[in-house]
Amino acid sequence: MPQLIPAFGLDKQGIDVAARLHWNLGTAPLVEHAIQRGEGLLSKDGPIVVKTGAHTGRSANDKFIVRDAETEDSVWWGKTNKGMTPKHFAALKADFLAHLKTKETLFVQDLFGGSQPAHRVNVRVINELAWHNLFIRTLLVRPEAAELAAFAPEFTIIDLPSFAADPDRHGCRSQTVIAVNLTEKLILIGGTAYAGEMKKSVFGILNYKLPANGVMPMHCSANIGPKGDTAIFFGLSGTGKTTLSADASRTLIGDDEHGWSDESVFNFEGGCYAKMIRLSPEAEPEIFATTKRFGTVLENVVIDAETREIDLDDDSLAENSRGSYPIDFIPNASDENLGPVPQNLIFLTADAYGVLPPIAKLTPDQAMYHFLSGYTARVAGTEIGVTEPSATFSTCFGAPFMPRHPSIYGNLLKERIAKGGVDCWLVNTGWTGGQYGVGHRMPIKVTRALLNAALDGSLNDAEFRIDPNFGFKVPVAVPGVESKILNPRETWPDAAAYDATAKKLVDQFIDNFAQFAEHVDEGVRQAAPKAA
């Protein structure tokens, strides 16, 4: 198959390279290049297996946005969105382009961020690694041949893992840098081989652009029921966002990033990026099947160099082992990558304190409160120094990717919930019967049963109690689910210990939300939890 080379080449962007350019290659040739170049190994069942080196996840502390006239008053500056001066970026860009010239081979993909044509962005990605080019081709939306011929990029990403940044010269923190220039529409990624930085950079672009058009960008998965009812699932890593949306009885729209317009919920991507560690063929059969498909990229999954067998349970390379695959590898994926506006909205949290019930119904004000809070919890052993559960609040369930003030996203969400009469649910996929180390993880069968009842509408007819700490409605009984598990206090061997832990969590919610209080109305402020 000939290369699909657009008329608008790198030279028209002022990018001068001596390298041989591979334009818009498909899966098979990119896998061949990656294998020939020693970038990875082919497993016996088909996926290519690669290592990302020291960076096995995002390097959030090394991400910067250029602070200039475009962004000064539009970006929410602070711990998450850190500024870089135009002067530092100019030096970084010059050094990036000089480094680019040293490469003998480069891989270029022209792609769309967004499945709905009215709200998508044209993105050109330039890679030094073939498997990175395969990854981003898999994760974003792939244009048709006619669209490629006329393709002109709006944003360009240059990803060079071999580039080492200079903190003094480039105004960054380390040799790793992710620098976003929204004025020049250029993103430079260096010093990290973690491929997820590329896809999250595109997510950040859309999170910046779309609210101005009244479109709600979301860090969520989404699927459609047999009656055409769309559900969206917000959640941070490890809460079950990908797993729970890959439901054989529902059509998958996407697993990670979406927009909510007046007409639809649409996927920003054309692929999925799932956690692989200890993946279960019983609990997650659709995702597990992708680990045996040619075209899947497995990152930091342990492989036997002789037999080429993979071991999904081995975390010696990373706890955050990942797999990327085209969305159509999931048997019931949507052909259009979009669906109707949602009828149900689910916030997923992995509560390691064991305080929250397995499901609760939220009012629109409570939904905005929990959206801005973005609560989940880290558990002991996942990070150095973490010896007991600790609360994590990531506003909008995706703070690192949200350039604008959280209230902009929160108010958009609240408006859309009210306009569509959307049912909102908080689902705890974390612990029950005690906090982490005492209790146990919520059984996925319980979570699926409760979700099914919420999504088919039957849960709306249940009897509810009001949670004394959080004020939301909790079902008292659901067919097929043990009633005791619906009331977490009853699952603890020591009720007084539950009360003390619940108070601790409530206090953390209140302390975290203080930063948003002046930006929301009284109804949302009153949705805050109160210690019983």
PDB file of all heavy atoms in Angstrom, residues 26-35 41-49 134 137-138 288-298 324-329:
ATOM      1  N   GLY A  26       0.116   1.997   7.956  1.00  0.00           N
ATOM      2  CA  GLY A  26      -0.867   1.193   8.660  1.00  0.00           C
ATOM      3  C   GLY A  26      -0.239   0.324   9.726  1.00  0.00           C
ATOM      4  O   GLY A  26       0.974   0.361   9.975  1.00  0.00           O
ATOM      5  N   THR A  27      -1.067  -0.509  10.342  1.00  0.00           N
ATOM      6  CA  THR A  27      -0.628  -1.311  11.481  1.00  0.00           C
ATOM      7  C   THR A  27       0.516  -2.256  11.121  1.00  0.00           C
ATOM      8  O   THR A  27       1.553  -2.268  11.794  1.00  0.00           O
ATOM      9  CB  THR A  27      -1.815  -2.128  12.031  1.00  0.00           C
ATOM     10  OG1 THR A  27      -2.816  -1.222  12.493  1.00  0.00           O
ATOM     11  CG2 THR A  27      -1.372  -3.013  13.184  1.00  0.00           C
ATOM     12  N   ALA A  28       0.347  -3.071  10.081  1.00  0.00           N
ATOM     13  CA  ALA A  28       1.354  -4.088   9.760  1.00  0.00           C
ATOM     14  C   ALA A  28       2.732  -3.489   9.471  1.00  0.00           C
ATOM     15  O   ALA A  28       3.739  -3.934  10.043  1.00  0.00           O
ATOM     16  CB  ALA A  28       0.872  -4.956   8.600  1.00  0.00           C
ATOM     17  N   PRO A  29       2.843  -2.472   8.603  1.00  0.00           N
ATOM     18  CA  PRO A  29       4.178  -1.924   8.363  1.00  0.00           C
ATOM     19  C   PRO A  29       4.787  -1.260   9.591  1.00  0.00           C
ATOM     20  O   PRO A  29       6.011  -1.316   9.787  1.00  0.00           O
ATOM     21  CB  PRO A  29       3.965  -0.918   7.226  1.00  0.00           C
ATOM     22  CG  PRO A  29       2.512  -0.698   7.125  1.00  0.00           C
ATOM     23  CD  PRO A  29       1.859  -1.916   7.653  1.00  0.00           C
ATOM     24  N   LEU A  30       3.965  -0.653  10.425  1.00  0.00           N
ATOM     25  CA  LEU A  30       4.511  -0.043  11.642  1.00  0.00           C
ATOM     26  C   LEU A  30       5.021  -1.101  12.607  1.00  0.00           C
ATOM     27  O   LEU A  30       6.066  -0.929  13.244  1.00  0.00           O
ATOM     28  CB  LEU A  30       3.459   0.847  12.307  1.00  0.00           C
ATOM     29  CG  LEU A  30       3.225   2.202  11.628  1.00  0.00           C
ATOM     30  CD1 LEU A  30       2.014   2.902  12.236  1.00  0.00           C
ATOM     31  CD2 LEU A  30       4.464   3.086  11.739  1.00  0.00           C
ATOM     32  N   VAL A  31       4.305  -2.214  12.719  1.00  0.00           N
ATOM     33  CA  VAL A  31       4.790  -3.316  13.553  1.00  0.00           C
ATOM     34  C   VAL A  31       6.101  -3.857  12.986  1.00  0.00           C
ATOM     35  O   VAL A  31       7.057  -4.111  13.727  1.00  0.00           O
ATOM     36  CB  VAL A  31       3.732  -4.436  13.656  1.00  0.00           C
ATOM     37  CG1 VAL A  31       4.329  -5.681  14.325  1.00  0.00           C
ATOM     38  CG2 VAL A  31       2.514  -3.957  14.447  1.00  0.00           C
ATOM     39  N   GLU A  32       6.169  -4.016  11.659  1.00  0.00           N
ATOM     40  CA  GLU A  32       7.406  -4.503  11.036  1.00  0.00           C
ATOM     41  C   GLU A  32       8.579  -3.582  11.339  1.00  0.00           C
ATOM     42  O   GLU A  32       9.670  -4.028  11.699  1.00  0.00           O
ATOM     43  CB  GLU A  32       7.209  -4.614   9.519  1.00  0.00           C
ATOM     44  CG  GLU A  32       6.317  -5.769   9.104  1.00  0.00           C
ATOM     45  CD  GLU A  32       6.051  -5.791   7.606  1.00  0.00           C
ATOM     46  OE1 GLU A  32       6.419  -4.805   6.922  1.00  0.00           O
ATOM     47  OE2 GLU A  32       5.479  -6.781   7.122  1.00  0.00           O
ATOM     48  N   HIS A  33       8.373  -2.269  11.183  1.00  0.00           N
ATOM     49  CA  HIS A  33       9.442  -1.315  11.478  1.00  0.00           C
ATOM     50  C   HIS A  33       9.863  -1.411  12.951  1.00  0.00           C
ATOM     51  O   HIS A  33      11.060  -1.394  13.267  1.00  0.00           O
ATOM     52  CB  HIS A  33       8.983   0.106  11.176  1.00  0.00           C
ATOM     53  CG  HIS A  33       9.076   0.484   9.731  1.00  0.00           C
ATOM     54  ND1 HIS A  33      10.281   0.674   9.080  1.00  0.00           N
ATOM     55  CD2 HIS A  33       8.113   0.719   8.800  1.00  0.00           C
ATOM     56  CE1 HIS A  33      10.063   1.004   7.815  1.00  0.00           C
ATOM     57  NE2 HIS A  33       8.746   1.037   7.612  1.00  0.00           N
ATOM     58  N   ALA A  34       8.891  -1.497  13.840  1.00  0.00           N
ATOM     59  CA  ALA A  34       9.215  -1.553  15.269  1.00  0.00           C
ATOM     60  C   ALA A  34      10.031  -2.796  15.606  1.00  0.00           C
ATOM     61  O   ALA A  34      11.003  -2.723  16.375  1.00  0.00           O
ATOM     62  CB  ALA A  34       7.930  -1.519  16.087  1.00  0.00           C
ATOM     63  N   ILE A  35       9.662  -3.930  15.034  1.00  0.00           N
ATOM     64  CA  ILE A  35      10.399  -5.172  15.292  1.00  0.00           C
ATOM     65  C   ILE A  35      11.803  -5.085  14.692  1.00  0.00           C
ATOM     66  O   ILE A  35      12.807  -5.418  15.355  1.00  0.00           O
ATOM     67  CB  ILE A  35       9.640  -6.379  14.709  1.00  0.00           C
ATOM     68  CG1 ILE A  35       8.279  -6.554  15.410  1.00  0.00           C
ATOM     69  CG2 ILE A  35      10.475  -7.653  14.851  1.00  0.00           C
ATOM     70  CD1 ILE A  35       8.326  -6.826  16.874  1.00  0.00           C
ATOM     71  N   LEU A  41       9.032  -6.809  21.043  1.00  0.00           N
ATOM     72  CA  LEU A  41       8.957  -8.215  20.667  1.00  0.00           C
ATOM     73  C   LEU A  41       7.526  -8.560  20.273  1.00  0.00           C
ATOM     74  O   LEU A  41       6.570  -8.030  20.850  1.00  0.00           O
ATOM     75  CB  LEU A  41       9.376  -9.117  21.834  1.00  0.00           C
ATOM     76  CG  LEU A  41      10.827  -9.027  22.322  1.00  0.00           C
ATOM     77  CD1 LEU A  41      11.001  -9.896  23.567  1.00  0.00           C
ATOM     78  CD2 LEU A  41      11.792  -9.451  21.226  1.00  0.00           C
ATOM     79  N   LEU A  42       7.384  -9.450  19.324  1.00  0.00           N
ATOM     80  CA  LEU A  42       6.074  -9.943  18.940  1.00  0.00           C
ATOM     81  C   LEU A  42       5.722 -11.118  19.841  1.00  0.00           C
ATOM     82  O   LEU A  42       6.474 -12.085  19.928  1.00  0.00           O
ATOM     83  CB  LEU A  42       6.078 -10.372  17.477  1.00  0.00           C
ATOM     84  CG  LEU A  42       4.733 -10.388  16.744  1.00  0.00           C
ATOM     85  CD1 LEU A  42       4.137  -8.989  16.680  1.00  0.00           C
ATOM     86  CD2 LEU A  42       4.898 -10.963  15.356  1.00  0.00           C
ATOM     87  N   SER A  43       4.581 -11.010  20.524  1.00  0.00           N
ATOM     88  CA  SER A  43       4.169 -12.123  21.373  1.00  0.00           C
ATOM     89  C   SER A  43       3.613 -13.255  20.516  1.00  0.00           C
ATOM     90  O   SER A  43       3.280 -13.055  19.345  1.00  0.00           O
ATOM     91  CB  SER A  43       3.112 -11.668  22.378  1.00  0.00           C
ATOM     92  OG  SER A  43       1.850 -11.572  21.762  1.00  0.00           O
ATOM     93  N   LYS A  44       3.488 -14.429  21.092  1.00  0.00           N
ATOM     94  CA  LYS A  44       3.066 -15.602  20.309  1.00  0.00           C
ATOM     95  C   LYS A  44       1.644 -15.465  19.794  1.00  0.00           C
ATOM     96  O   LYS A  44       1.284 -16.083  18.796  1.00  0.00           O
ATOM     97  CB  LYS A  44       3.215 -16.874  21.145  1.00  0.00           C
ATOM     98  CG  LYS A  44       2.149 -17.136  22.168  1.00  0.00           C
ATOM     99  CD  LYS A  44       2.360 -18.469  22.850  1.00  0.00           C
ATOM    100  CE  LYS A  44       1.166 -18.874  23.700  1.00  0.00           C
ATOM    101  NZ  LYS A  44      -0.046 -19.132  22.910  1.00  0.00           N
ATOM    102  N   ASP A  45       0.839 -14.640  20.443  1.00  0.00           N
ATOM    103  CA  ASP A  45      -0.552 -14.483  20.026  1.00  0.00           C
ATOM    104  C   ASP A  45      -0.793 -13.259  19.155  1.00  0.00           C
ATOM    105  O   ASP A  45      -1.929 -13.002  18.757  1.00  0.00           O
ATOM    106  CB  ASP A  45      -1.466 -14.410  21.255  1.00  0.00           C
ATOM    107  CG  ASP A  45      -1.516 -15.733  22.005  1.00  0.00           C
ATOM    108  OD1 ASP A  45      -1.622 -16.780  21.342  1.00  0.00           O
ATOM    109  OD2 ASP A  45      -1.427 -15.713  23.246  1.00  0.00           O
ATOM    110  N   GLY A  46       0.262 -12.461  18.871  1.00  0.00           N
ATOM    111  CA  GLY A  46       0.092 -11.372  17.918  1.00  0.00           C
ATOM    112  C   GLY A  46       0.445  -9.968  18.353  1.00  0.00           C
ATOM    113  O   GLY A  46       0.980  -9.203  17.554  1.00  0.00           O
ATOM    114  N   PRO A  47       0.149  -9.546  19.615  1.00  0.00           N
ATOM    115  CA  PRO A  47       0.480  -8.171  19.995  1.00  0.00           C
ATOM    116  C   PRO A  47       1.983  -7.901  19.998  1.00  0.00           C
ATOM    117  O   PRO A  47       2.793  -8.827  20.180  1.00  0.00           O
ATOM    118  CB  PRO A  47      -0.081  -8.057  21.421  1.00  0.00           C
ATOM    119  CG  PRO A  47      -1.158  -9.090  21.494  1.00  0.00           C
ATOM    120  CD  PRO A  47      -0.646 -10.229  20.654  1.00  0.00           C
ATOM    121  N   ILE A  48       2.344  -6.647  19.802  1.00  0.00           N
ATOM    122  CA  ILE A  48       3.722  -6.242  19.989  1.00  0.00           C
ATOM    123  C   ILE A  48       3.870  -5.791  21.442  1.00  0.00           C
ATOM    124  O   ILE A  48       3.000  -5.099  21.981  1.00  0.00           O
ATOM    125  CB  ILE A  48       4.146  -5.125  19.009  1.00  0.00           C
ATOM    126  CG1 ILE A  48       5.630  -4.793  19.205  1.00  0.00           C
ATOM    127  CG2 ILE A  48       3.259  -3.898  19.114  1.00  0.00           C
ATOM    128  CD1 ILE A  48       6.202  -3.858  18.154  1.00  0.00           C
ATOM    129  N   VAL A  49       4.963  -6.214  22.075  1.00  0.00           N
ATOM    130  CA  VAL A  49       5.198  -5.930  23.496  1.00  0.00           C
ATOM    131  C   VAL A  49       6.408  -5.010  23.602  1.00  0.00           C
ATOM    132  O   VAL A  49       7.485  -5.332  23.091  1.00  0.00           O
ATOM    133  CB  VAL A  49       5.434  -7.231  24.283  1.00  0.00           C
ATOM    134  CG1 VAL A  49       5.613  -6.933  25.770  1.00  0.00           C
ATOM    135  CG2 VAL A  49       4.265  -8.194  24.077  1.00  0.00           C
ATOM    136  N   LEU A 134       2.429   3.859  15.863  1.00  0.00           N
ATOM    137  CA  LEU A 134       1.336   2.879  15.870  1.00  0.00           C
ATOM    138  C   LEU A 134       0.371   3.163  17.006  1.00  0.00           C
ATOM    139  O   LEU A 134      -0.852   3.101  16.841  1.00  0.00           O
ATOM    140  CB  LEU A 134       1.906   1.463  15.991  1.00  0.00           C
ATOM    141  CG  LEU A 134       0.894   0.338  16.193  1.00  0.00           C
ATOM    142  CD1 LEU A 134      -0.091   0.264  15.028  1.00  0.00           C
ATOM    143  CD2 LEU A 134       1.609  -1.005  16.370  1.00  0.00           C
ATOM    144  N   ARG A 137      -1.745   6.254  16.199  1.00  0.00           N
ATOM    145  CA  ARG A 137      -2.666   5.913  15.109  1.00  0.00           C
ATOM    146  C   ARG A 137      -3.825   5.070  15.637  1.00  0.00           C
ATOM    147  O   ARG A 137      -4.970   5.203  15.187  1.00  0.00           O
ATOM    148  CB  ARG A 137      -1.926   5.147  14.003  1.00  0.00           C
ATOM    149  CG  ARG A 137      -2.790   4.791  12.814  1.00  0.00           C
ATOM    150  CD  ARG A 137      -2.044   3.975  11.762  1.00  0.00           C
ATOM    151  NE  ARG A 137      -2.882   3.776  10.582  1.00  0.00           N
ATOM    152  CZ  ARG A 137      -3.770   2.793  10.450  1.00  0.00           C
ATOM    153  NH1 ARG A 137      -3.917   1.911  11.427  1.00  0.00           N
ATOM    154  NH2 ARG A 137      -4.496   2.689   9.355  1.00  0.00           N
ATOM    155  N   THR A 138      -3.528   4.196  16.588  1.00  0.00           N
ATOM    156  CA  THR A 138      -4.548   3.350  17.191  1.00  0.00           C
ATOM    157  C   THR A 138      -5.493   4.151  18.063  1.00  0.00           C
ATOM    158  O   THR A 138      -6.705   3.929  18.053  1.00  0.00           O
ATOM    159  CB  THR A 138      -3.881   2.242  18.028  1.00  0.00           C
ATOM    160  OG1 THR A 138      -3.027   1.467  17.188  1.00  0.00           O
ATOM    161  CG2 THR A 138      -4.903   1.338  18.684  1.00  0.00           C
ATOM    162  N   PHE A 288      -9.653  -8.800  27.684  1.00  0.00           N
ATOM    163  CA  PHE A 288      -8.662  -9.871  27.707  1.00  0.00           C
ATOM    164  C   PHE A 288      -8.425 -10.417  26.293  1.00  0.00           C
ATOM    165  O   PHE A 288      -7.281 -10.736  25.926  1.00  0.00           O
ATOM    166  CB  PHE A 288      -9.118 -10.998  28.636  1.00  0.00           C
ATOM    167  CG  PHE A 288      -8.090 -12.088  28.807  1.00  0.00           C
ATOM    168  CD1 PHE A 288      -7.064 -11.960  29.723  1.00  0.00           C
ATOM    169  CD2 PHE A 288      -8.139 -13.235  28.026  1.00  0.00           C
ATOM    170  CE1 PHE A 288      -6.109 -12.956  29.877  1.00  0.00           C
ATOM    171  CE2 PHE A 288      -7.184 -14.233  28.159  1.00  0.00           C
ATOM    172  CZ  PHE A 288      -6.170 -14.088  29.092  1.00  0.00           C
ATOM    173  N   ALA A 289      -9.473 -10.496  25.505  1.00  0.00           N
ATOM    174  CA  ALA A 289      -9.341 -11.029  24.145  1.00  0.00           C
ATOM    175  C   ALA A 289      -8.408 -10.178  23.288  1.00  0.00           C
ATOM    176  O   ALA A 289      -7.770 -10.687  22.355  1.00  0.00           O
ATOM    177  CB  ALA A 289     -10.717 -11.128  23.484  1.00  0.00           C
ATOM    178  N   THR A 290      -8.286  -8.894  23.598  1.00  0.00           N
ATOM    179  CA  THR A 290      -7.400  -8.029  22.806  1.00  0.00           C
ATOM    180  C   THR A 290      -5.934  -8.351  23.031  1.00  0.00           C
ATOM    181  O   THR A 290      -5.083  -7.960  22.216  1.00  0.00           O
ATOM    182  CB  THR A 290      -7.633  -6.535  23.117  1.00  0.00           C
ATOM    183  OG1 THR A 290      -7.162  -6.225  24.439  1.00  0.00           O
ATOM    184  CG2 THR A 290      -9.109  -6.180  22.994  1.00  0.00           C
ATOM    185  N   THR A 291      -5.600  -9.049  24.100  1.00  0.00           N
ATOM    186  CA  THR A 291      -4.206  -9.423  24.374  1.00  0.00           C
ATOM    187  C   THR A 291      -3.750 -10.568  23.483  1.00  0.00           C
ATOM    188  O   THR A 291      -2.593 -10.999  23.572  1.00  0.00           O
ATOM    189  CB  THR A 291      -4.005  -9.807  25.848  1.00  0.00           C
ATOM    190  OG1 THR A 291      -4.691 -11.037  26.138  1.00  0.00           O
ATOM    191  CG2 THR A 291      -4.513  -8.716  26.779  1.00  0.00           C
ATOM    192  N   LYS A 292      -4.644 -11.040  22.625  1.00  0.00           N
ATOM    193  CA  LYS A 292      -4.309 -12.126  21.701  1.00  0.00           C
ATOM    194  C   LYS A 292      -4.579 -11.703  20.253  1.00  0.00           C
ATOM    195  O   LYS A 292      -4.819 -12.545  19.397  1.00  0.00           O
ATOM    196  CB  LYS A 292      -5.113 -13.379  22.059  1.00  0.00           C
ATOM    197  CG  LYS A 292      -4.831 -13.896  23.468  1.00  0.00           C
ATOM    198  CD  LYS A 292      -5.633 -15.145  23.788  1.00  0.00           C
ATOM    199  CE  LYS A 292      -5.353 -15.632  25.196  1.00  0.00           C
ATOM    200  NZ  LYS A 292      -3.955 -16.026  25.398  1.00  0.00           N
ATOM    201  N   ARG A 293      -4.508 -10.390  20.009  1.00  0.00           N
ATOM    202  CA  ARG A 293      -4.809  -9.860  18.677  1.00  0.00           C
ATOM    203  C   ARG A 293      -3.610  -9.116  18.102  1.00  0.00           C
ATOM    204  O   ARG A 293      -2.975  -8.300  18.791  1.00  0.00           O
ATOM    205  CB  ARG A 293      -6.003  -8.889  18.747  1.00  0.00           C
ATOM    206  CG  ARG A 293      -7.344  -9.504  19.111  1.00  0.00           C
ATOM    207  CD  ARG A 293      -7.987 -10.222  17.943  1.00  0.00           C
ATOM    208  NE  ARG A 293      -8.235  -9.360  16.790  1.00  0.00           N
ATOM    209  CZ  ARG A 293      -9.365  -8.677  16.584  1.00  0.00           C
ATOM    210  NH1 ARG A 293     -10.358  -8.749  17.470  1.00  0.00           N
ATOM    211  NH2 ARG A 293      -9.521  -7.956  15.496  1.00  0.00           N
ATOM    212  N   PHE A 294      -3.318  -9.371  16.846  1.00  0.00           N
ATOM    213  CA  PHE A 294      -2.314  -8.575  16.135  1.00  0.00           C
ATOM    214  C   PHE A 294      -2.854  -7.159  15.991  1.00  0.00           C
ATOM    215  O   PHE A 294      -4.000  -6.954  15.599  1.00  0.00           O
ATOM    216  CB  PHE A 294      -2.032  -9.161  14.751  1.00  0.00           C
ATOM    217  CG  PHE A 294      -1.029  -8.369  13.956  1.00  0.00           C
ATOM    218  CD1 PHE A 294       0.328  -8.508  14.200  1.00  0.00           C
ATOM    219  CD2 PHE A 294      -1.440  -7.471  12.981  1.00  0.00           C
ATOM    220  CE1 PHE A 294       1.261  -7.770  13.477  1.00  0.00           C
ATOM    221  CE2 PHE A 294      -0.518  -6.734  12.254  1.00  0.00           C
ATOM    222  CZ  PHE A 294       0.836  -6.879  12.514  1.00  0.00           C
ATOM    223  N   GLY A 295      -2.026  -6.179  16.299  1.00  0.00           N
ATOM    224  CA  GLY A 295      -2.445  -4.781  16.271  1.00  0.00           C
ATOM    225  C   GLY A 295      -2.551  -4.172  17.645  1.00  0.00           C
ATOM    226  O   GLY A 295      -2.566  -2.954  17.787  1.00  0.00           O
ATOM    227  N   THR A 296      -2.631  -5.014  18.678  1.00  0.00           N
ATOM    228  CA  THR A 296      -2.591  -4.521  20.056  1.00  0.00           C
ATOM    229  C   THR A 296      -1.145  -4.197  20.428  1.00  0.00           C
ATOM    230  O   THR A 296      -0.220  -4.918  20.056  1.00  0.00           O
ATOM    231  CB  THR A 296      -3.160  -5.571  21.018  1.00  0.00           C
ATOM    232  OG1 THR A 296      -4.566  -5.735  20.768  1.00  0.00           O
ATOM    233  CG2 THR A 296      -2.971  -5.171  22.474  1.00  0.00           C
ATOM    234  N   VAL A 297      -0.959  -3.116  21.165  1.00  0.00           N
ATOM    235  CA  VAL A 297       0.352  -2.756  21.707  1.00  0.00           C
ATOM    236  C   VAL A 297       0.295  -2.945  23.217  1.00  0.00           C
ATOM    237  O   VAL A 297      -0.545  -2.339  23.897  1.00  0.00           O
ATOM    238  CB  VAL A 297       0.720  -1.292  21.381  1.00  0.00           C
ATOM    239  CG1 VAL A 297       2.091  -0.950  21.967  1.00  0.00           C
ATOM    240  CG2 VAL A 297       0.706  -1.043  19.886  1.00  0.00           C
ATOM    241  N   LEU A 298       1.162  -3.805  23.739  1.00  0.00           N
ATOM    242  CA  LEU A 298       1.232  -4.045  25.180  1.00  0.00           C
ATOM    243  C   LEU A 298       2.454  -3.344  25.746  1.00  0.00           C
ATOM    244  O   LEU A 298       3.580  -3.628  25.337  1.00  0.00           O
ATOM    245  CB  LEU A 298       1.292  -5.544  25.470  1.00  0.00           C
ATOM    246  CG  LEU A 298       0.079  -6.370  25.023  1.00  0.00           C
ATOM    247  CD1 LEU A 298       0.305  -7.848  25.299  1.00  0.00           C
ATOM    248  CD2 LEU A 298      -1.197  -5.885  25.717  1.00  0.00           C
ATOM    249  N   SER A 324      -3.024  -0.960  24.264  1.00  0.00           N
ATOM    250  CA  SER A 324      -3.791  -0.097  23.358  1.00  0.00           C
ATOM    251  C   SER A 324      -4.232  -0.928  22.160  1.00  0.00           C
ATOM    252  O   SER A 324      -3.465  -1.743  21.646  1.00  0.00           O
ATOM    253  CB  SER A 324      -2.959   1.103  22.918  1.00  0.00           C
ATOM    254  OG  SER A 324      -1.726   0.706  22.358  1.00  0.00           O
ATOM    255  N   TYR A 325      -5.462  -0.712  21.728  1.00  0.00           N
ATOM    256  CA  TYR A 325      -6.030  -1.503  20.639  1.00  0.00           C
ATOM    257  C   TYR A 325      -7.149  -0.706  19.972  1.00  0.00           C
ATOM    258  O   TYR A 325      -7.776   0.154  20.601  1.00  0.00           O
ATOM    259  CB  TYR A 325      -6.573  -2.842  21.160  1.00  0.00           C
ATOM    260  CG  TYR A 325      -7.431  -2.719  22.408  1.00  0.00           C
ATOM    261  CD1 TYR A 325      -8.804  -2.505  22.320  1.00  0.00           C
ATOM    262  CD2 TYR A 325      -6.864  -2.808  23.674  1.00  0.00           C
ATOM    263  CE1 TYR A 325      -9.590  -2.379  23.456  1.00  0.00           C
ATOM    264  CE2 TYR A 325      -7.631  -2.674  24.819  1.00  0.00           C
ATOM    265  CZ  TYR A 325      -8.993  -2.455  24.706  1.00  0.00           C
ATOM    266  OH  TYR A 325      -9.759  -2.314  25.832  1.00  0.00           O
ATOM    267  N   PRO A 326      -7.395  -0.956  18.689  1.00  0.00           N
ATOM    268  CA  PRO A 326      -8.497  -0.263  18.009  1.00  0.00           C
ATOM    269  C   PRO A 326      -9.818  -0.578  18.690  1.00  0.00           C
ATOM    270  O   PRO A 326     -10.034  -1.700  19.174  1.00  0.00           O
ATOM    271  CB  PRO A 326      -8.462  -0.826  16.581  1.00  0.00           C
ATOM    272  CG  PRO A 326      -7.087  -1.402  16.424  1.00  0.00           C
ATOM    273  CD  PRO A 326      -6.689  -1.882  17.791  1.00  0.00           C
ATOM    274  N   ILE A 327     -10.714   0.390  18.704  1.00  0.00           N
ATOM    275  CA  ILE A 327     -11.975   0.193  19.408  1.00  0.00           C
ATOM    276  C   ILE A 327     -12.790  -0.937  18.803  1.00  0.00           C
ATOM    277  O   ILE A 327     -13.556  -1.608  19.497  1.00  0.00           O
ATOM    278  CB  ILE A 327     -12.795   1.500  19.471  1.00  0.00           C
ATOM    279  CG1 ILE A 327     -13.941   1.364  20.485  1.00  0.00           C
ATOM    280  CG2 ILE A 327     -13.280   1.921  18.102  1.00  0.00           C
ATOM    281  CD1 ILE A 327     -14.639   2.657  20.798  1.00  0.00           C
ATOM    282  N   ASP A 328     -12.591  -1.217  17.502  1.00  0.00           N
ATOM    283  CA  ASP A 328     -13.381  -2.293  16.906  1.00  0.00           C
ATOM    284  C   ASP A 328     -12.893  -3.678  17.318  1.00  0.00           C
ATOM    285  O   ASP A 328     -13.481  -4.683  16.918  1.00  0.00           O
ATOM    286  CB  ASP A 328     -13.447  -2.163  15.381  1.00  0.00           C
ATOM    287  CG  ASP A 328     -12.090  -2.173  14.702  1.00  0.00           C
ATOM    288  OD1 ASP A 328     -11.105  -2.617  15.325  1.00  0.00           O
ATOM    289  OD2 ASP A 328     -12.013  -1.740  13.532  1.00  0.00           O
ATOM    290  N   PHE A 329     -11.826  -3.747  18.127  1.00  0.00           N
ATOM    291  CA  PHE A 329     -11.448  -5.028  18.733  1.00  0.00           C
ATOM    292  C   PHE A 329     -12.462  -5.444  19.800  1.00  0.00           C
ATOM    293  O   PHE A 329     -12.506  -6.611  20.184  1.00  0.00           O
ATOM    294  CB  PHE A 329     -10.060  -4.942  19.359  1.00  0.00           C
ATOM    295  CG  PHE A 329      -8.921  -5.120  18.376  1.00  0.00           C
ATOM    296  CD1 PHE A 329      -9.128  -5.002  17.014  1.00  0.00           C
ATOM    297  CD2 PHE A 329      -7.631  -5.415  18.823  1.00  0.00           C
ATOM    298  CE1 PHE A 329      -8.090  -5.173  16.103  1.00  0.00           C
ATOM    299  CE2 PHE A 329      -6.581  -5.593  17.923  1.00  0.00           C
ATOM    300  CZ  PHE A 329      -6.815  -5.470  16.568  1.00  0.00           C
TER     301      PHE A 329
END
